[in-house]
């Protein structure tokens, strides 16, 4: 079946520009997560959605980062006024249940963001 | 005392041999653990999970062992194949936020 789909797969932009990253989760998955993977570092949690609500935004690095989810499905992660340190792979995951449901998170292939 | 496997950043294994990848986790409250495989240019791919009320779980060619006493997790891959070459991550959580280990790069020698 279809997995988590992310677009674009690669994005190169100039410092100071805004970018939007899109995630289409597995159909029926109510929970959606964004993580960031930087070179030489592990994956770090950014934000968690349960349905359209984001009960945990604690991982967003600054107020330049925001995310929304509509219709309990597609999510967009927006980075405003991009900085070079924002360069990373942004990964989206979804799971059947959220919270403490102990359901595996399934990842997309990510968006590779490069800030020049 | 009990012997616990050391986490190694890289592992080279002969095709057909068994592989053991180790992971030490930090949060004693973690109750759910997942192993992921990540190939170059791809996202992490779910391999197998285990809950804290178990100490062993088997899948197809893979076995996960959990030792809560020493906060240690291992992934065993039977009859390693070239397609098993990848970076392997363990992840832990006590809610929904996954915390990932440093990763082990597995290279399979023909």
């Amino acid at each position: 079946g279809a997995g988590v789909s992310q677009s674009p797969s690669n994005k190169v932009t100039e410092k100071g520009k805004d970018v939007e990253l899109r995630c289409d989760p597995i159909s029926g998955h109510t929970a959606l997560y964004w993580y960031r993977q930087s070179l030489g570092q592990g994956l770090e949690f950014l934000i968690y959605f349960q349905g359209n609500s984001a009960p945990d935004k604690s991982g967003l690095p600054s107020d330049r980062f925001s995310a929304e989810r509509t219709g309990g499905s597609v999510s967009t992660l927006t980075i405003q006024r991009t900085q070079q340190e924002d360069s990373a792979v942004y990964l989206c995951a979804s799971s059947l249940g959220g919270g403490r449901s102990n359901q595996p998170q399934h990842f997309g292939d990510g968006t590779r963001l490069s800030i020049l | 005392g009990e012997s616990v496997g050391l986490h190694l950043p890289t592992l080279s294994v002969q095709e057909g041999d068994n592989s053991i990848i180790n992971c030490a986790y930090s949060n004693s409250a973690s109750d759910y653990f997942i192993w992921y495989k990540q190939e170059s240019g791809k996202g992490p791919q779910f391999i197998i999970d285990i809950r804290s009320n178990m100490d062993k779980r088997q899948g197809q060619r893979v076995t996960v062992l959990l030792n809560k006493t020493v906060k240690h997790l291992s992934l065993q891959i039977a009859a390693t194949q070239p397609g098993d070459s990848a970076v392997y991550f363990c992840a832990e959580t006590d809610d929904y936020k996954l915390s990932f280990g440093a990763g082990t790069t597995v290279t399979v020698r023909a």
Side-chain angles (χ1 to χ4, degrees):
Chain A
V4 176
S5 178
Q6 292 189 247
S7 61
S9 54
N10 288 283
K11 177 73 176 178
V12 181
T13 193
E14 292 179 346
K15 176 182 168 182
K17 300 284 189 186
D18 297 351
V19 294
E20 257 190 21
L21 313 179
R22 177 189 166 106
C23 172
D24 204 338
I26 293 171
S27 178
H29 281 195
T30 62
L32 186 146
Y33 317 80
W34 284 96
Y35 292 83
R36 179 167 74 172
Q37 186 173 31
S38 304
L39 261 180
Q41 299 186 28
L43 286 86
E44 60 172 322
F45 168 85
L46 298 179
I47 188 169
Y48 156 59
F49 285 93
Q50 182 59 47
N52 291 336
S53 302
D56 189 346
K57 306 179 183 180
S58 63
L60 294 178
S62 74
D63 59 8
R64 295 185 296 103
F65 288 72
S66 63
E68 65 175 15
R69 189 180 184 196
T70 54
S73 182
V74 171
S75 175
T76 54
L77 177 69
T78 301
I79 310 173
Q80 295 179 309
R81 305 180 303 281
T82 51
Q83 303 293 312
Q84 287 186 331
E85 62 263 28
D86 300 334
S87 296
V89 177
Y90 289 83
L91 291 159
C92 177
S94 68
S95 65
L96 198 55
R100 294 180 60 87
S101 65
N102 290 347
Q103 296 285 334
Q105 296 179 25
H106 296 275
F107 285 81
D109 285 337
T111 293
R112 281 148 196 80
L113 178 63
S114 299
I115 310 299
L116 301 178
Chain B
E2 186 168 0
S3 172
V4 174
L6 184 67
H7 168 257
L8 299 172
T10 62
L11 177 67
S12 179
V13 61
Q14 186 70 37
E15 181 179 356
D17 286 353
N18 297 335
S19 304
I20 298 177
I21 306 165
N22 294 303
C23 177
Y25 64 93
S26 54
N27 183 3
S28 56
S30 289
D31 59 1
Y32 182 55
F33 306 86
I34 306 176
W35 278 100
Y36 287 97
K37 170 187 180 183
Q38 188 173 27
E39 296 173 285
S40 182
K42 301 282 191 182
Q45 176 189 353
F46 171 83
I47 301 173
I48 191 167
D49 59 359
I50 188 167
R51 292 171 176 74
S52 59
N53 61 351
M54 304 173 71
D55 53 21
K56 179 179 179 178
R57 189 160 189 230
Q58 289 184 288
Q60 187 176 15
R61 280 202 307 123
V62 294
T63 300
V64 55
L65 299 177
L66 174 63
N67 185 329
K68 294 181 291 294
T69 303
V70 294
K71 293 188 288 189
H72 182 264
L73 199 64
S74 68
L75 177 71
Q76 301 176 2
I77 305 173
T80 312
Q81 301 169 359
D84 295 327
S85 293
V87 180
Y88 289 79
F89 292 97
C90 65
E92 58 171 308
T93 183
D94 63 1
D95 51 19
Y96 48 78
K97 241 183 270 191
L98 292 177
S99 294
F100 286 81
T104 295
T105 300
V106 172
T107 302
V108 180
R109 305 188 307 271

